[in-house]
Each structure stands twice: as C-alpha cells, then as structure tokens.
Amino acid sequence: MSRLPPPPTEPSPQEGPPFPLLAVLAPLAGAVLIGAITGSPYVLVFAALSPVIAVASMLDGRRTARRRAREGAARFEEECGAYTRLIEEAHRAERAQRDALAPARPTEAAPLESGSVRVGVARAPSDRAPEGGLVHVAGSRPGAHARQREALLARASWHPALPVLVPRGAIAVRGGGPAARAMAARLRLEPGVTVLDVRDDHPADAGGDAVARAPRPDVELEVHTASTMTVRIAGQAPIPARPEFWSAPERERRRRAIEAQSARLPDHVPWSSLEPAGESSSGIPIGCSEAGQSVIDPIGQGPHILIGGTTGSGKSEFLRTLVLGWAHRASPAELSLLFVDFKGGASFPDLAELPHALDVITDLDESTAVRAITSLRAEIQRRERWLRDRGARDIRDPGASLGRLVIIIDEYAALLAALPELHATIIDLSARGRSLGIHLVLCTQHPGSAVRDAIAANCAIRVSFRIADNADAGMLGAGLAHRLRALPPGRALVTDAEGTRELQSALIAPEDVEAVRERWRDSPDAARLWQPPLPTVVTPRDVTRESVDDVAKTGWAFGVADQPERLRRTRAVWLPERDGALAIVGAPGSGRTGALAAIAHAAHESGSALETLSVDWVDAEATLLALRDRTPDRTLLLADDLDEVLRRCGDERAELLRLWDDVASALRRRGGAVVASLASSAQQQGLTAGRFPSTLELGTATSSSPSRVSPVPERRAPPGRARWRGAEVQIMTAPPLPAPQPPPVPDVTALGPRPCVVIARRPRWVGERLGRAHPALVLQSAEEAASLGSAVSLEPRVILDDVEGWTTRWSALQELRRTCDIILAEVGPSELRSLIGLRERPPSLHAHGGEVWLLQPEAPIVRARWHELADEAEGGPEL
C-alpha cells in the first residue's frame, strides 16, 4: 500500500523591486561634484535624469513580478486539480481493498467466523495519507494558497467512507424504527454474533430468533435513520457512521450459506464409528471435522491438554472420549490413568473399571486427593531414577521401558479452590512431564483465571468448547472469542501443531467401555502409585512388618507412619537420644492413654524398666522423690494426665514441676526418658514448651510444621491417629498401662523400746485414740516430760502435746530429738520448720489414712502411716 505524495507546494509570493533611493542619490551627488569642478551649470541637467531612470526601472520590475505571480497561481491550480484526482483514485483503491477484505454484501461462499463484522461506512483516517504535515514556504505568509494546500492534505488524510468493522460477539442494536430492525435482522445472520436489547415492535421481522439479553454488550449500534447511526465499541470513542443493510434476497442467500456450512459437521458422532489410528501414529480419534475423522496426538504434540468450556458445553464427554480412545490403543502396562473429578465423581464411574485406572479422586474425599497428588512427587523422583539407572534421556528412549501416566482433572479450578497448596505440584508436573511420560489433562470452565501461564505454556493442545468470557477464550487461542460463543454442545475448536480446526466430539456408549475393558481383560491392572490410607487399627505385629530408618533402629516403635510423598510406610519411632522428652497431646477420646501404653509396650519389649506416675499428686511426688534419690538405668517414666496431676496439687505445682525436671535430667543421664500425656489445650503450651522437645499430637490430621503441601485437611480423626515428625501416624494397640506403684509408706507405732514424742494439732483427740488402742500406754504432756529431765528416756512412753506446748519447751524438744522418735500429726510445713528447724521441704501427706511425718534420730524426715489414727481419721486437704 503506497502513500500519496505531499500536496503541491504553494507558489512563492512575487513582489516588485523597492524604490532605488541609492540609484537616485549617487548620480545626483556625482553631477554636483563635476559641476563644482568644471564650473558649468549644464552638468546639473544630467543630474535630473537619474530619478526618472530609477522610477522607470521600479515600474518595470513590478510589472514582471505580477506576470510571474499569475503564471505560478495558474500552475498551482493545475497541480491541485491533478492532486485532487490522485486523492480520489487512491481513495477508490483503498475502498476497493477494504471491500474485498470485508464485503458489504453476502456472498455464496460459507460465512466466515473469523475477523470482524461490517456494519456500515464512516469517515476514517486513510492509510494512503502522505507522511508528514503541511510545510509553509520560508518567508511566506499563510494565504489562500496555503489554505488550499491544507484542504488538500486534510482530504488526503481522511477517507470519506471506509467500512466500519466491529468485533464479533454481543452487539446491542438501539432504536425503535425499521432501520434498527433491519440492522438487527442483518446481524443475526453473522456467525459468532449475538444481538442484544433490540427494540423490535415486529417480531416477525426478526427472523424468528429469540432476542438474547446481556448486561455488558461488546458493541452498541444506535441506529437513528436509514443513513445515520452511532457505533460505540468498548474502550473507543463513538463513531458517526452510515449503516449498511441487506435486502431480503441477500439475507436469504446468507441463510443458505449458513445451512450449507452447518451441514458439513454431523450433530452426533458415535465413538464406535471412529477408526483406530495406524500403528505408525500415536494419534487418538476424538471426533469428526470438515476433513473427516479428527485425532489429537498428546505424545507427539503434547504433552499436556487444556480444555475449556461452559457448563453443558461437552467438556466432560470429551474427556471420556479422549480417555477411552487412549486406553483402547495402549495396554495397562503402557498407560495408567488417574481421574480427579471435583464435580462429585459423576464423570468417570464406568471408566474407573478399566484396568488402566488407578483411582477416582473426588471432592467428597479431599484427604485422598491430597494423598494422591502428594504421591506424584515421589512418582516424579522414581521415574527420574528409573531413567537415570538405564541411561535414558527421556521416556521415548528404547531402553526406558516405562509406562505413561495420564492425570485427568475435571474442574481444575474447583480443585485449586479446595486445595491451593497443590498448585506447585501441578506446575512441577507440567514442566517435567514430557521427558518423564506424565501427561496432564486439565478441564475447567474458566481457563483464563484458573490456569496460570507457567502451566498453560506447556499445554500445546487446547480444546475450546462454548465459552462466554473473552479472557477464557484468549487462553485457548487468540482471536477465537467470537466463534466460541456460538458453538453448540459437543462442538469444539482444537488448537495444536496442525492449526485450529472445528470438530464434533464423539460420544461413547456403555458397550464401548465394556469393549475396551474386554480388550485388556487378560492384562494385569496398572500398579497403584501410593499406599492405601492408614488403617484405624494397627497391631504390634503390623508395626514390625514396616520398614524403619537406620537412625531410629534403637528407638521405640509405637505405630505406623504414613509417608505418601515417599510412596511408603515406616514405623513411627521415638528415639529419646534424638527426640528428647515426649509430650502426648490430645483431646478426650483421642487415644492419649492408648498412645502412652503403646510406648510403654515398646520400651518394655526393649528391656527398659517402667515407672508409672500416679494421678494422685501425693503418690506422684513420692515416686519422683524415689527416682531422684535412686535413679535406675534405662528407666522410662510415664505420666498419664500430667496436667491433671499438676492441677490437683494447687500451690505445690511449681515444686512438683521442679522435682519432675530433676528426675527427667537424672533419667536422661542414665539412658532413660520421660513421656507424659496432656490435654490439647492452649494452657498447656507453657508446660510443654521447655520440658518436651517432641510432641505427639493426637486427634487431628493437620501438621503444625510448615511443609510445601499440607498433608491432610483438618478432619475428625479416629482414635490413635496422630502427627509425629511431620507424618500421619496410627498408634498401635497395646496392653494397658501398668498400674502406678508408688513407694510403700512405712508404719509407725507409739509402742517402742524408747519414748515417742508426738506433736499434734489436736492432742486430746490423739490421746483418746491411743488410750483406746493401748490402755497400758503411759501418756505425758510436754510439761511433765520436761520436769523429769533425762529420766524421760529410760522407759517407753508417749509424750504428747500441741505445737504451742512444744514451742514453749523448745529446748526440751531438741534434747528429746537426739534419742526419741518424733511423730508430727496434722502439723503444717511452716510449724514443722519452726519447731524442728528443717530447711528441706518435707514430703507431702494425705490428711486421711493416718499419714504423719516421722523424724528419727540421725535420719531424714519421712512420710509414715500411724495405724492408731488411721481407723477414724477425718479427711482433709493434703499437707
């Protein structure tokens, strides 16, 4: 397309010469000088001739300039006329070229669905306009010639009537007159065009088509009269135009062409009517196009396929056709199929019976979906190792002998909405799938928003069913939006290495699936890619059958750990040297006590000694004191409901925790360990933070540790299901926990070979009990014993008094302490320290059961039981 040359240059302005003042003065001065020299007055006559000559020369120059100006103007007018004819010729050629690309009248040929729709003509910038703008001649002033040149340049730059083209899609025609109805009837015969919001008082003229309505039309045509309308295209300024209409014969011609075009593709294509591709081809028959049977080749042109379309457009049926065709040509050893159906699992129930099928993952069981997709990471690594060990670069190498894996995902957007963490896995599969023989078939209603560029770039085959959104259509192929809006169900545009073609997808029947299943009846089923979910019951024998990591062979196996990302199960092992003290955390009913029993069973089988902490905090304290003072080798201390023990001890909580920490350190030095069960409450975080480096979390299937993919969405877990070291674990069943065996409490009696000192809060009550039990027993008060002096230690007796009585005779008490047993009944720790002067904390006592403190000469204070008081002891708080 050549541009017009610049317009004619305007003629230069022609002006006469100015008055020659110097030519007049110079001869006059010379004549005066000669007259002064010669003294002749006649010389002055020649001086008068110089002005005459100068005026004559000036008049002659101006006459010549006017003649040249007339000649230049005539030449400029002639050039402008020729340039005007050149503009008209260029505009006619440009209009003819535009008419050839977008004819104003329908032709006998089939209507095109590509390009734009012609609706009229309008004044528009011309492609033939000369480059640059108007350039004035230097020194000239704009005049009539300059304005004429500007008019020529404007006429060359703007074509008076170029075709107005609008994109196909939703077009709203505004106007209530016959011109608007005629324009609507004309546009209804354009493929890929939906006419919206037509104000039509005569439905009979609308060609019998229902008027569609949409809130956001792509184009609006406001038809005023038969010769004027305004075209509004989204994102552009309004265009005044002259509409173009079709006559009734022209509309009938277009209808015949559309009918002929539609007849080229059948409305129904049975899958059984398709011919299998030859042995030399890897194509899969999927339907019929204008050229006949149509195939796609995921192996040669893939590896991945992207399918888009609205609900009811035929996406799921196409998936079934593709899968069945692929399964027909490849054996289960060569092809494995994994179905991911996030529409409730209704798309592939019959195809799941094929021997090629691994499983059908649905949105009704998201945990299995995560499990399957997570296992695909391990499958990627397995295939990489397989190819590396055989020296093969990819699956097409003859030495690879590796089957292909096809992952069919229906409603891909719903999958990502439910499990967004899986997007990284899908990206990885799309990037490395070609060489490893892994194919993705992604089906979604909105590919423009659901499928990111990192995945779409690897989907070389794209199948587009009916799509309403331009962004979705652009993801499946540039410039296809206008065609995709008008596709009937089952009709699709396929874009691959061979270009874009329209086809009718084939439909499969139940007998077709049965025929393919019968074809491979004697072939073994495809091997599963992942272990089944953990059972709800695991026995110790089940645990011994599982593998174990080398670093944990010396630990205590208490369950089975699930590792879908490594395609295996292992023993769940607690190794105290590696993991430290263990806290078993869970809600009531989650299996805390069972987990504690499983660990106790594993420790007992390995030869370790067991110590169980009683839930009674006094007995628990006694056990801890015994372990602190005498720490055996390889002992496991178990505390069930440790938080409940601490709650019961009240103000002594800090002291009991300090004692627990001392015992835990002592056991760790001797090859032992501690494990405790706790309620799953946020209040326990302070308890577990520093004392328990490891946590076995029961009653949930979510992981608190970060990972690339959350292993299992949170759900109600069966009893004994836990999280351990990033894996889901089912704890084994085991014998019940051994009953707590707190250290025995020694007995004390008032009858002995030497006097016994009793400090009691209620001495009269104690005396009555002793009198009934031992009528011959000698009872004395502190005052009486002090009066006897050293003779008090010569014979058995009981010296009984309250705290106040002994406080006033403190020196006597210290004297008796060297030779007598001292029993303190219902005396508090503070009174004990003031009377005896002990600095260490005494062991806790039960206020019931006759428990007392016993202090013997040259021995530490101990907890003891006084049977004389036990029978009728009153309950009370622990001391």
Side-chain angles (χ1 to χ4, degrees), residues 826-843:
E826 299 181 341
V827 176
S830 60
E831 297 166 327
L832 172 65
R833 283 191 291 270
S834 64
L835 287 173
I836 307 301
L838 293 177
R839 294 184 178 180
E840 66 271 15
R841 179 181 175 275

mmCIF file of all heavy atoms in Angstrom, residues 826-843:
data_model
loop_
_atom_site.group_PDB
_atom_site.id
_atom_site.type_symbol
_atom_site.label_atom_id
_atom_site.label_comp_id
_atom_site.label_asym_id
_atom_site.label_seq_id
_atom_site.Cartn_x
_atom_site.Cartn_y
_atom_site.Cartn_z
ATOM 1 N N GLU A 826 -0.944 -33.937 111.681
ATOM 2 C CA GLU A 826 -1.749 -32.777 111.284
ATOM 3 C C GLU A 826 -1.021 -31.474 111.542
ATOM 4 O O GLU A 826 -1.625 -30.466 111.919
ATOM 5 C CB GLU A 826 -3.103 -32.790 111.999
ATOM 6 C CG GLU A 826 -3.949 -34.011 111.696
ATOM 7 C CD GLU A 826 -5.280 -33.960 112.411
ATOM 8 O OE1 GLU A 826 -5.404 -33.197 113.384
ATOM 9 O OE2 GLU A 826 -6.199 -34.663 111.977
ATOM 10 N N VAL A 827 0.267 -31.480 111.356
ATOM 11 C CA VAL A 827 1.093 -30.285 111.542
ATOM 12 C C VAL A 827 1.508 -29.796 110.155
ATOM 13 O O VAL A 827 1.901 -30.593 109.299
ATOM 14 C CB VAL A 827 2.319 -30.595 112.412
ATOM 15 C CG1 VAL A 827 3.221 -29.365 112.527
ATOM 16 C CG2 VAL A 827 1.864 -31.045 113.790
ATOM 17 N N GLY A 828 1.439 -28.471 109.952
ATOM 18 C CA GLY A 828 1.792 -27.910 108.669
ATOM 19 C C GLY A 828 3.289 -27.762 108.489
ATOM 20 O O GLY A 828 4.071 -27.806 109.447
ATOM 21 N N PRO A 829 3.753 -27.567 107.246
ATOM 22 C CA PRO A 829 5.187 -27.419 106.967
ATOM 23 C C PRO A 829 5.812 -26.237 107.679
ATOM 24 O O PRO A 829 6.948 -26.319 108.143
ATOM 25 C CB PRO A 829 5.225 -27.252 105.438
ATOM 26 C CG PRO A 829 3.972 -27.901 104.949
ATOM 27 C CD PRO A 829 2.955 -27.630 106.006
ATOM 28 N N SER A 830 5.097 -25.131 107.782
ATOM 29 C CA SER A 830 5.674 -23.961 108.445
ATOM 30 C C SER A 830 5.890 -24.235 109.935
ATOM 31 O O SER A 830 6.904 -23.833 110.521
ATOM 32 C CB SER A 830 4.767 -22.746 108.252
ATOM 33 O OG SER A 830 3.484 -22.997 108.802
ATOM 34 N N GLU A 831 4.961 -24.935 110.595
ATOM 35 C CA GLU A 831 5.120 -25.281 112.010
ATOM 36 C C GLU A 831 6.249 -26.289 112.194
ATOM 37 O O GLU A 831 6.987 -26.239 113.184
ATOM 38 C CB GLU A 831 3.803 -25.860 112.539
ATOM 39 C CG GLU A 831 2.651 -24.859 112.484
ATOM 40 C CD GLU A 831 1.311 -25.517 112.686
ATOM 41 O OE1 GLU A 831 1.150 -26.685 112.265
ATOM 42 O OE2 GLU A 831 0.422 -24.855 113.245
ATOM 43 N N LEU A 832 6.361 -27.183 111.201
ATOM 44 C CA LEU A 832 7.458 -28.142 111.256
ATOM 45 C C LEU A 832 8.803 -27.428 111.215
ATOM 46 O O LEU A 832 9.718 -27.738 111.995
ATOM 47 C CB LEU A 832 7.329 -29.132 110.096
ATOM 48 C CG LEU A 832 8.495 -30.090 109.883
ATOM 49 C CD1 LEU A 832 8.642 -31.039 111.075
ATOM 50 C CD2 LEU A 832 8.318 -30.887 108.598
ATOM 51 N N ARG A 833 8.953 -26.463 110.341
ATOM 52 C CA ARG A 833 10.227 -25.760 110.244
ATOM 53 C C ARG A 833 10.525 -24.955 111.513
ATOM 54 O O ARG A 833 11.677 -24.858 111.938
ATOM 55 C CB ARG A 833 10.195 -24.832 109.015
ATOM 56 C CG ARG A 833 10.381 -25.571 107.698
ATOM 57 C CD ARG A 833 10.611 -24.604 106.557
ATOM 58 N NE ARG A 833 9.399 -23.826 106.255
ATOM 59 C CZ ARG A 833 8.472 -24.210 105.395
ATOM 60 N NH1 ARG A 833 8.614 -25.370 104.750
ATOM 61 N NH2 ARG A 833 7.419 -23.469 105.168
ATOM 62 N N SER A 834 9.499 -24.358 112.106
ATOM 63 C CA SER A 834 9.746 -23.552 113.312
ATOM 64 C C SER A 834 10.119 -24.414 114.521
ATOM 65 O O SER A 834 10.910 -24.005 115.372
ATOM 66 C CB SER A 834 8.504 -22.706 113.632
ATOM 67 O OG SER A 834 7.405 -23.552 113.950
ATOM 68 N N LEU A 835 9.575 -25.643 114.603
ATOM 69 C CA LEU A 835 9.849 -26.500 115.737
ATOM 70 C C LEU A 835 11.133 -27.306 115.563
ATOM 71 O O LEU A 835 11.942 -27.415 116.485
ATOM 72 C CB LEU A 835 8.680 -27.458 115.974
ATOM 73 C CG LEU A 835 7.397 -26.852 116.559
ATOM 74 C CD1 LEU A 835 6.289 -27.885 116.561
ATOM 75 C CD2 LEU A 835 7.648 -26.341 117.978
ATOM 76 N N ILE A 836 11.297 -27.876 114.403
ATOM 77 C CA ILE A 836 12.416 -28.799 114.177
ATOM 78 C C ILE A 836 13.606 -28.091 113.547
ATOM 79 O O ILE A 836 14.745 -28.509 113.728
ATOM 80 C CB ILE A 836 11.955 -29.974 113.306
ATOM 81 C CG1 ILE A 836 10.699 -30.628 113.930
ATOM 82 C CG2 ILE A 836 13.047 -31.014 113.147
ATOM 83 C CD1 ILE A 836 10.928 -31.152 115.334
ATOM 84 N N GLY A 837 13.349 -27.010 112.781
ATOM 85 C CA GLY A 837 14.442 -26.305 112.143
ATOM 86 C C GLY A 837 14.903 -26.937 110.832
ATOM 87 O O GLY A 837 16.047 -26.712 110.415
ATOM 88 N N LEU A 838 14.035 -27.712 110.175
ATOM 89 C CA LEU A 838 14.407 -28.331 108.896
ATOM 90 C C LEU A 838 14.334 -27.303 107.774
ATOM 91 O O LEU A 838 13.402 -26.505 107.690
ATOM 92 C CB LEU A 838 13.476 -29.497 108.583
ATOM 93 C CG LEU A 838 13.565 -30.719 109.498
ATOM 94 C CD1 LEU A 838 12.523 -31.743 109.086
ATOM 95 C CD2 LEU A 838 14.958 -31.323 109.436
ATOM 96 N N ARG A 839 15.325 -27.366 106.879
ATOM 97 C CA ARG A 839 15.327 -26.454 105.739
ATOM 98 C C ARG A 839 14.696 -27.087 104.496
ATOM 99 O O ARG A 839 14.082 -26.408 103.689
ATOM 100 C CB ARG A 839 16.752 -26.017 105.415
ATOM 101 C CG ARG A 839 17.383 -25.176 106.508
ATOM 102 C CD ARG A 839 18.770 -24.703 106.079
ATOM 103 N NE ARG A 839 19.376 -23.852 107.112
ATOM 104 C CZ ARG A 839 20.579 -23.298 107.005
ATOM 105 N NH1 ARG A 839 21.310 -23.501 105.906
ATOM 106 N NH2 ARG A 839 21.048 -22.554 107.978
ATOM 107 N N GLU A 840 14.898 -28.391 104.305
ATOM 108 C CA GLU A 840 14.342 -29.035 103.120
ATOM 109 C C GLU A 840 12.832 -29.173 103.268
ATOM 110 O O GLU A 840 12.305 -29.241 104.384
ATOM 111 C CB GLU A 840 14.981 -30.402 102.878
ATOM 112 C CG GLU A 840 14.668 -31.455 103.954
ATOM 113 C CD GLU A 840 15.669 -31.421 105.098
ATOM 114 O OE1 GLU A 840 16.418 -30.414 105.195
ATOM 115 O OE2 GLU A 840 15.708 -32.386 105.863
ATOM 116 N N ARG A 841 12.188 -29.236 102.106
ATOM 117 C CA ARG A 841 10.735 -29.386 102.101
ATOM 118 C C ARG A 841 10.378 -30.821 102.465
ATOM 119 O O ARG A 841 10.894 -31.764 101.879
ATOM 120 C CB ARG A 841 10.185 -29.050 100.715
ATOM 121 C CG ARG A 841 8.672 -29.189 100.599
ATOM 122 C CD ARG A 841 8.231 -28.848 99.180
ATOM 123 N NE ARG A 841 6.803 -29.080 99.010
ATOM 124 C CZ ARG A 841 6.251 -30.241 98.707
ATOM 125 N NH1 ARG A 841 7.038 -31.308 98.559
ATOM 126 N NH2 ARG A 841 4.930 -30.366 98.561
ATOM 127 N N PRO A 842 9.457 -31.041 103.402
ATOM 128 C CA PRO A 842 9.071 -32.406 103.778
ATOM 129 C C PRO A 842 8.191 -33.021 102.704
ATOM 130 O O PRO A 842 7.562 -32.304 101.917
ATOM 131 C CB PRO A 842 8.305 -32.211 105.084
ATOM 132 C CG PRO A 842 7.715 -30.843 104.951
ATOM 133 C CD PRO A 842 8.729 -30.022 104.198
ATOM 134 N N PRO A 843 8.112 -34.340 102.629
ATOM 135 C CA PRO A 843 7.216 -34.977 101.662
ATOM 136 C C PRO A 843 5.763 -34.660 101.975
ATOM 137 O O PRO A 843 5.383 -34.458 103.135
ATOM 138 C CB PRO A 843 7.530 -36.465 101.818
ATOM 139 C CG PRO A 843 8.112 -36.595 103.182
ATOM 140 C CD PRO A 843 8.855 -35.320 103.447
#
